Amino acid sequence: MIVVLLMYAVPYTSLSGIAGPYAFMFWTLIAAAYLVFVFIVIRK
Amino acid sequence: MEAVTTYLAIGIFIVIGTVIAWLSKKFLQKDVKDFYTAGGRFGTVLSSLSYAATTYSAFMFIGLVGMAYQTGVGTLGFELVYFVGTLFLLYYIAPKYWALHNKFGYISPAEVLSERYGSQAVGASVTLLALVSLIPYSASQVIGVAFAAEGASSGTIPFSTAVLIAIAVALLWSVIAGIWSVGLTDVFQGLIMLGAGLMIVVWVYIWGTGYVPFDFASLGPLTFVPNSFWSFTTFLNLTLPWFFFALTNPQVVQRLFAPKSLQAQKGMIIWFGIYGLLFTVSVTFLGLMLKGFTDGGIFPLVAYRDSVTPTLLGMLPLWLSVLGLVAVIAASISTIDGIILTLSSMTVRDLFKAYRPSLSPKSQLIIGRLTIIILAIGCTLFALSRPGFIVDLAVLSSSLLLPQAPLVIGMFVWKRGGKYSATITIAAGFAVAAALYWTKLSPLGLPMNLWTLIIATLVYVGIALLESPTEGAKKFTDL
């Protein structure tokens, strides 16, 4: 759930108004990190 | 793209898919459970690609590309909230659904709710809700195909012809062998969707940057949120039903019954995750890239966002244009046939069998196939009326299905609640969603879907506290 909250909070606060690939990269990386986390947890 | 080539490509795709669907009949055992859930015999590859192809639809190729083009990077966040939400929910809930199917043989997702909340009225109301809600979603898939075919063939394939072809194929592939023909054609279609999507993104990047450089920052407000479209309220409103999609959309819930083992289901979650992340990032990047190339003067300015992909298809080399169109068709059909099949199972089990327990398996299959045909006709009529943007229709469907979220979560974590809390939650949540959608009101500045979720949850908890717990609740919470 923390991941989901970050997906709302970070782009609308820290990255707000900053033109460039930052929001795109943030959402992509956090989703990829969550996928890796699920992969590790599910394999246990 | 020439009409003859387009028809030929669609023809080849349909023939290959139909051969696969026909060959899948050898796996089908002639009973209702096998027709709708494969009797829990899907392996990892079949489960993963079938889940991915069912959940990812024309919405991705047409709706999401256009939305990214017009509204910017918020589109990626919106779709990735769905992605993370789905992984999260699948991790916790998929094994529970699988265990329920394995132990008690449930076939339709609504049947599970009927059993948990102690009344067939619950399954019947969930089925009616799904029938009303999923018609706009199915229609949005067909509209996607029709736009793509119309755009790619420069109008030589009329909208109505494309609608009829898509529905006819979805109907055929559902009826031949139920989940077996749907699942195996999903594998074929899922591979085309991802392969074509990636090839188009690479081609567009190489082609476009050969003329003008692509610089994210030059897109300005499209690269951050909030912007003129993605206010926080809009983002919250669109992502809420999307987050709960894996729980509230019966066509994907029913897929959780299909894996042959928990191991296969775990594999399904991971492979779906890899597929989904790759697909989502690619199509949203494509939309942003095309906007950059519009600003650079090499891609036309497209005002109607669902026309972005069709415009692109008209500009690609013939082989890639054909592949792209086939991918859009595959994305649509793999979703529609899954929806139609699931709605058919719910109609048979929760509207007919629940009230006539003596209904024979043969009669159930006949009613199921007839329901598939009726649903296909309803979907065609709705699509032909061209009711709105693809993304809006898709989100509307999930908004109307959202009231199920507290019921499904409560089913596994709380012993309280019975037929009154379940049926009144569905009715109240649907009424709130429908009323706020049509009046466009946002009381207290809160978005429609947040209201739907709050009201549905309060009604569910409030009435459940007054209601005696049902006898069978323990077997769900102890899973």
Side-chain angles (χ1 to χ4, degrees), chain B residues 110-400:
Chain B
E111 240 174 355
V112 179
L113 292 166
S114 283
E115 180 71 17
R116 163 60 183 85
Y117 291 103
S119 168
Q120 302 106 312
V122 178
S125 30
V126 167
T127 300
L128 291 174
L129 178 76
L131 284 167
V132 172
S133 308
L134 285 170
I135 292 291
Y137 189 47
S138 308
S140 73
Q141 306 307 314
V142 190
I143 292 167
V145 170
F147 274 140
E150 208 174 35
S153 67
S154 308
T156 48
I157 297 182
F159 188 91
S160 51
T161 307
V163 166
L164 291 172
I165 291 173
I167 292 283
V169 175
L171 180 63
L172 179 68
W173 293 358
S174 315
V175 169
I176 288 177
I179 188 69
W180 286 102
S181 45
V182 166
L184 283 162
T185 52
D186 278 353
V187 172
F188 163 59
Q189 295 181 102
L191 292 172
I192 291 176
M193 285 158 58
L194 188 60
L198 293 175
M199 273 191 244
I200 290 172
V201 172
V202 170
W203 188 90
V204 168
Y205 183 81
I206 294 170
W207 163 77
T209 51
Y211 294 98
V212 288
F214 174 65
D215 177 18
F216 248 100
S218 69
L219 295 173
L222 292 183
T223 63
F224 58 77
V225 288
N227 59 22
S228 59
F229 182 86
W230 290 107
S231 67
F232 185 75
T233 310
T234 301
F235 190 74
L236 184 65
N237 192 41
L238 292 181
T239 49
L240 263 182
W242 236 222
F243 179 85
F244 291 104
F245 189 99
L247 291 186
T248 57
N249 276 253
Q251 74 277 16
V252 287
V253 174
Q254 198 174 41
R255 283 294 193 280
L256 306 180
F257 295 154
K260 66 181 177 190
S261 63
L262 273 177
Q263 207 54 33
Q265 192 180 64
K266 285 178 180 177
M268 178 193 93
I269 296 171
I270 295 302
W271 283 110
F272 156 76
I274 295 168
Y275 185 107
L277 186 62
L278 212 53
F279 199 29
T280 304
V281 173
S282 301
V283 295
T284 43
F285 181 64
L286 178 63
L288 290 166
M289 200 163 47
L290 289 173
K291 185 68 174 79
F293 294 149
T294 293
D295 295 343
I298 59 168
F299 186 75
L301 179 66
V302 184
Y304 187 70
R305 68 182 190 221
D306 285 347
S307 296
V308 173
T309 301
T311 304
L312 174 65
L313 289 180
M315 294 173 65
L316 293 173
L318 186 60
W319 68 273
L320 194 53
S321 180
V322 167
L323 188 63
L325 176 58
V326 168
V328 175
I329 296 172
S332 305
I333 290 173
S334 60
T335 299
I336 304 166
D337 58 12
I339 290 175
I340 287 178
L341 191 70
T342 299
L343 290 178
S344 153
S345 73
M346 292 167 81
T347 306
V348 170
R349 304 291 295 186
D350 301 290
L351 294 183
F352 284 88
K353 178 81 165 54
Y355 294 94
R356 280 194 62 185
S358 60
L359 202 66
S360 70
K362 194 179 171 190
S363 304
Q364 289 180 55
L365 285 174
I366 292 170
I367 293 170
R369 285 190 158 106
L370 281 174
T371 310
I372 290 172
I373 295 169
I374 294 166
L375 288 169
I377 293 169
C379 184
T380 307
L381 295 175
F382 195 83
L384 288 175
S385 69
R386 299 193 187 205
F389 280 124
I390 286 171
V391 172
D392 298 346
L393 288 171
V395 174
L396 170 64
S397 290
S398 286
S399 302
L400 296 174

Side-chain angles (χ1 to χ4, degrees), chain B residues 439-456:
Chain B
T439 58
K440 307 288 177 207
L441 291 175
S442 303
L444 303 175
L446 299 178
M448 160 191 145
N449 291 318
L450 187 57
W451 274 116
T452 305
L453 196 59
I454 290 171
I455 299 287

